Amino acid sequence: MLRLSISALSFLDLRIGDLILAMKKILLPFFFLLTFTQAGLLAQQTFRLHSHNDYLQKVPFWEAFGAGAASIEVDVMLQEGSLVVAHEKESIQPERTLRSLYLDPIQRAVELGMIDEFGFHLLVDCKTEAYATLEQVIKEVSPYSPLLFSSQNPAGLRLIVSGNRPKPEDYDKYPEWIFFDYQSKNLSPDLPWEKIGMVSLSFRQFSVWNGKGRLVEKDRKGLEDFISLVHSFGKPVRFWGSPDSKTAWRAFQDLGVDFINTDQPKAAQEYLASLNQRVYATDSIYSVYNPSFASDGLDAPIRNIILLIGDGNGLAQISAALFANGGNLNLAQIKNMGLIKTQAADDFTTDSAAGATAFATGQKTNNRALGVGPDGERLRNLPEILAERGFSAGIITTDQITGATPAAFYAHHPERDDTDQIAAFLPKSALSLVIGGGKNTFSPLQSELVKEGFILVDQLEGLGEMGADRIAYFSSPGSNPSMEKGRGDFLTQSAVEALQFFGQKKTPFFLVIESAMIDSGGHSNSTSTIVTEMLDFDRLIGEMMRFADQNPGTLLLITADHETGGVSIPQGNVEKGEVELGFHSDDHTGILVPIFAYGPHSGLFRGIYENIHVAHKLIELAK
């Protein structure tokens, strides 16, 4: 909030009345425009907005200007020799004039340096007789001539006259800063195009679409043809009376509408300006693995358990990847699936620490806790429990090894951010294999890791052929890069090496693999991050399904610790591999997450149940 100190008031020697006037003229514009100028905003936009009936906004002009509107509409009526802003006589308020609501604020914005050149025009909709009203427009606007468009000032303010207008043959009789809004489907070369600022028509002349669902092809074609016709004369087009929704704004942008009509300029600007971040189109579509289902669902002994965790990966994230990959995924081949409740012991919305601890121990705990209960008691984890039954265990993550999800499977500590204390649990843990980031954190523990039998390797290649009993590969000093920043096939390659490692040990194994950065995409509301990370995760899933088919007795589970972002999919195109995501949040949510199962006893994981029951089922099966 902007505050004026007592000393500042004394220095300015403002009376209360002067202060109020100053705040109206100076502070109000800054409230909307503190972080950007309109010209700078327009330079970043690939769309242009028309603020329809702008004078009805709570703060006329400033709100549209702050939203970067390129066209601002003001209805005027000639009343007792002056122009009042109103749609009809019943709504006239004498103090609301063209000058007070628009011309004076524009002049002030120029004086304050908010406008270097005009990236917008005023669309003046005359509600009273054309010639007399326009004569008064010229009289009232002319004193602002330094601001106005001319051949000497091509970046100046233009007025486009709409509503009641003179005859087209009279257009060239008016000042060069006045243009006209042409409203007819009949377009021909002999019109006075040099004085036509835009072509506007009622949307209802083309369609009855209400902005929900999609335009029918016939209506779309009619709109496209008319837009092309207007553009052939080098003029922009606008449709009034059009739907005013996110779906409609996107449709009009895709159609090439030059000025998108809206009563919600701020909301429209925020939605359209963020489309690039929320729309993803894949470069290529990969083929999925066709599983044999030979041992799927059989009542057979479990020899290997592979648990794949997509951090933050909800049903919408999976759907987005599926549509981006032409409507198919490796994950989509799996038949047995259920839904998991993710709540923590102390909160409706879990974090990764509590969510992963539930998977690792079969008990609920508080957010931020790793491998300990709500009262701090140490909880046995699956690697520890399964070790008693002859299982080796390992973890792979695209995160750091001390990240909350992998750490829940070896550490016992109440605070997930105590990285050094968490790392100290690794040497004496039940894990035989760790692959992930965080080399700098574990550097002080190298001698202890070696003492406890770990071989520290510096590359993935050949890791599975070393014949070692325990191996640690720290893939980066800190965090691993995302797929968008060049991580490549690290996740799948790590898994393949891990399977070779456990194969040489000739013991049953429990392997946890985390795809960590689907969660990052949810937190940052980045569609491309979510989809690229999920597609990478799905390639891993395909390889693990292949392994399960080749190694009967392998149970594969794919799930998530929670959903992140409150993600929805308002629009997409399967043929183009394109999806648009919407975000309700930039944090975790309490939405149920899916679990998929493939291999022996996979039917046991159907239904809706608490996250802790995943561990309970695995412990029972491992007997």
Side-chain angles (χ1 to χ4, degrees), residues 64-103:
F65 179 75
S71 178
I72 301 175
E73 179 179 337
V74 49
D75 288 3
V76 298
M77 302 184 72
L78 182 58
Q79 181 77 5
E80 297 180 357
S82 68
L83 294 174
V84 291
V85 174
H87 190 274
E88 62 283 309
K89 286 186 176 181
E90 292 74 16
S91 60
I92 288 177
Q93 299 177 45
E95 70 279 6
R96 292 171 63 87
T97 67
L98 180 62
R99 286 193 184 111
S100 66
L101 293 185
Y102 291 92
L103 299 177

Side-chain angles (χ1 to χ4, degrees), residues 418-475:
D418 290 342
T419 305
D420 293 340
Q421 293 94 319
I422 292 167
F425 283 97
L426 182 61
K428 294 183 181 297
S429 71
L431 298 176
S432 298
L433 175 71
V434 291
I435 299 175
K439 183 176 183 178
N440 290 346
T441 300
F442 286 94
S443 292
L445 296 171
Q446 284 190 16
S447 59
E448 188 173 352
L449 287 166
V450 171
K451 178 183 176 182
E452 295 297 333
F454 275 99
I455 293 179
L456 307 181
V457 299
D458 57 7
Q459 64 179 24
L460 271 177
E461 293 79 5
L463 175 153
E465 301 172 358
M466 294 180 60
D469 186 55
R470 305 183 83 185
I471 289 179
Y473 170 59
F474 300 111
S475 53

Side-chain angles (χ1 to χ4, degrees), residues 365-623:
T365 192
N366 295 340
N367 280 338
R368 308 198 68 78
L370 293 166
V372 296
D375 296 326
E377 70 277 17
R378 180 177 176 134
L379 303 175
R380 299 180 73 211
N381 57 47
L382 282 172
E384 294 166 345
I385 295 168
L386 295 178
E388 298 172 356
R389 302 176 189 182
F391 281 72
S392 300
I395 56 173
I396 299 170
T397 180
T398 57
D399 194 4
Q400 299 193 44
I401 297 296
T402 53
T405 299
F409 289 87
Y410 69 87
H412 304 276
H413 192 72
E415 174 48 58
R416 60 181 288 178
D417 280 350
D418 290 342
T419 305
D420 293 340
Q421 293 94 319
I422 292 167
F425 283 97
L426 182 61
K428 294 183 181 297
S429 71
L431 298 176
S432 298
L433 175 71
V434 291
I435 299 175
K439 183 176 183 178
N440 290 346
T441 300
F442 286 94
S443 292
L445 296 171
Q446 284 190 16
S447 59
E448 188 173 352
L449 287 166
V450 171
K451 178 183 176 182
E452 295 297 333
F454 275 99
I455 293 179
L456 307 181
V457 299
D458 57 7
Q459 64 179 24
L460 271 177
E461 293 79 5
L463 175 153
E465 301 172 358
M466 294 180 60
D469 186 55
R470 305 183 83 185
I471 289 179
Y473 170 59
F474 300 111
S475 53
S476 62
S479 298
N480 288 312
S482 65
M483 286 301 292
E484 293 174 294
K485 294 184 178 179
R487 190 175 70 239
D489 64 350
F490 165 82
L491 193 61
T492 298
Q493 185 183 359
S494 298
V496 170
E497 294 288 345
L499 296 176
Q500 291 180 353
F501 167 81
F502 287 118
Q504 288 194 340
K505 291 176 75 70
K506 301 186 184 303
T507 60
F509 68 81
F510 172 58
L511 176 61
V512 180
I513 307 178
E514 181 202 21
S515 176
M517 296 182 191
I518 303 170
D519 177 68
S520 303
H523 282 300
S524 62
N525 287 182
S526 171
T527 298
S528 60
T529 301
I530 287 173
V531 177
T532 54
E533 294 293 333
M534 176 55 211
L535 290 174
D536 179 54
F537 189 42
D538 187 63
R539 291 185 180 93
L540 167 70
I541 292 168
E543 286 301 315
M544 296 304 97
M545 293 172 70
R546 188 190 310 276
F547 178 85
D549 281 347
Q550 295 171 351
N551 296 268
T554 299
L555 174 62
L556 174 64
L557 299 177
I558 305 103
T559 189
D561 48 358
H562 53 74
E563 192 275 346
T564 305
V567 180
S568 63
I569 308 178
Q571 302 189 67
N573 187 313
V574 177
E575 292 181 358
K576 295 180 180 179
E578 180 181 291
V579 286
E580 176 192 337
L581 300 190
F583 297 90
H584 178 72
S585 171
D586 61 359
D587 205 347
H588 302 171
T589 70
I591 298 171
L592 296 172
V593 295
I595 181 168
F596 298 80
Y598 183 70
H601 301 279
S602 57
L604 186 64
F605 294 87
R606 298 174 186 168
I608 300 178
Y609 44 91
E610 294 286 349
N611 50 9
I612 58 174
H613 292 305
V614 174
H616 298 171
K617 294 173 191 290
L618 291 178
I619 291 169
E620 183 65 24
L621 289 173
K623 291 181 179 178

